[in-house]
Amino acid sequence: YGRFEPPFEQYAIGLRPLRRVAWSLTGSGGVTSPEYRKQVLEVSKKTPNFVGLYMDDFFTTKVKGQQAVLTLDELRNIRDQARGPGNKLDIWVTYYTRLLDLPLDDYLKMIDVITMWTWNPEDLANLESNLSRAEKVVPALRKTQGCYFYNFTKRVPVSVADMKLQCEMGLRWLRQGRIEGMVFLQNALEDLGYESVEWTRAWIEKV
């Protein structure tokens, strides 16, 4: 596998059939660099179907000290470029439910879309209450729901029952207008024969 290496124009060619692409500014574990971000911003200006910049694992769980991978000034600079002449890129961020109690207002003011993720399947019972909390914490931000196929703590696939709970809850929220999309993680797990993945394929086709 490995990470993408610049120049990124060649990777963008393979994404041409997609209508809307959000390219990652920070990867798994918050990995990023000034040169990487510069390359992403440059290719985004040349690629018409790029509509967003995605920041994965961006926030830490610290109440004090370093709260995010980038400083406020670094994020502000990125936002200025994302909204500069010829560019209207939304900024997306991974937002784990465990972040709901942290004081992240200064950062969240510069975010357009959050994807709310429930890390532990046993916490899926709190999906409804956690979305309600997110609606109070960031009422102005657009929201999507993150759905895991895999329990990364226990290193086992998510059960079909838990997948069904996530999907049916997300569909209800979509119909209510409370979220604008669902995100499924991840492509590296989608061809390994997991029952939860195959159930989800059939569910998406059905609904």
Side-chain angles (χ1 to χ4, degrees):
Y1 292 101
R3 303 189 184 281
F4 283 3
E5 297 292 339
F8 294 148
E9 284 79 2
Q10 186 65 40
Y11 298 109
I13 291 172
L15 301 174
R16 282 178 182 171
L18 303 177
R19 286 180 294 174
R20 296 183 300 159
V21 175
W23 192 292
S24 180
L25 270 183
T26 65
S28 178
V31 172
T32 188
S33 70
E35 179 58 29
Y36 175 83
R37 296 192 297 274
K38 178 183 176 183
Q39 291 276 344
V40 171
L41 286 162
E42 285 181 359
V43 77
S44 71
K45 296 173 184 177
K46 308 170 188 175
T47 314
N49 62 343
F50 277 25
V51 299
L53 303 169
Y54 197 99
M55 301 189 300
D56 191 24
D57 291 341
F58 179 69
F59 292 116
T60 69
T61 54
K62 297 177 181 178
V63 177
K64 296 181 180 180
Q66 184 179 347
Q67 292 184 297
V69 171
L70 303 178
T71 66
L72 287 167
D73 285 340
E74 287 173 326
L75 180 56
R76 192 173 293 110
N77 179 261
I78 287 169
R79 185 170 179 81
D80 289 344
Q81 294 183 65
R83 295 302 179 92
N87 253 14
K88 292 183 180 179
L89 301 172
D90 289 330
I91 297 179
W92 295 57
V93 73
T94 290
Y95 191 76
Y96 297 108
T97 54
R98 61 176 178 260
L99 298 171
L100 282 164
D101 293 322
L102 297 183
L104 301 171
D105 290 357
D106 289 340
Y107 278 101
L108 291 169
K109 288 174 184 175
M110 291 185 278
I111 303 296
D112 299 294
V113 189
I114 65 165
T115 301
M116 192 177 78
W117 295 93
T118 303
W119 181 259
N120 294 313
E122 51 266 34
D123 294 333
L124 291 172
N126 301 317
L127 274 174
E128 178 63 42
S129 61
N130 282 334
L131 179 63
S132 296
R133 291 176 65 196
E135 288 170 331
K136 292 178 182 177
V137 173
V138 285
L141 298 194
R142 292 149 52 206
K143 300 167 186 67
T144 57
Q145 177 199 13
C147 300
Y148 284 115
F149 287 127
Y150 199 77
N151 181 335
F152 288 96
T153 300
K154 296 183 178 179
R155 299 188 177 185
V156 295
V158 168
S159 70
V160 170
D162 283 337
M163 209 68 224
K164 183 177 181 180
L165 174 63
Q166 295 183 82
C167 288
E168 292 185 347
M169 185 78 76
L171 182 61
R172 183 162 73 248
W173 290 343
L174 277 167
R175 288 172 170 164
Q176 292 171 344
R178 297 173 71 188
I179 64 173
E180 64 175 48
M182 299 170 69
V183 181
F184 295 91
L185 189 80
Q186 61 173 312
N187 62 308
L189 300 169
E190 288 168 9
D191 294 305
L192 300 179
Y194 294 147
E195 192 177 1
S196 57
V197 174
E198 299 312 313
W199 181 90
T200 305
R201 282 191 214 276
W203 178 83
I204 291 173
E205 195 169 330
K206 178 182 175 181
V207 304

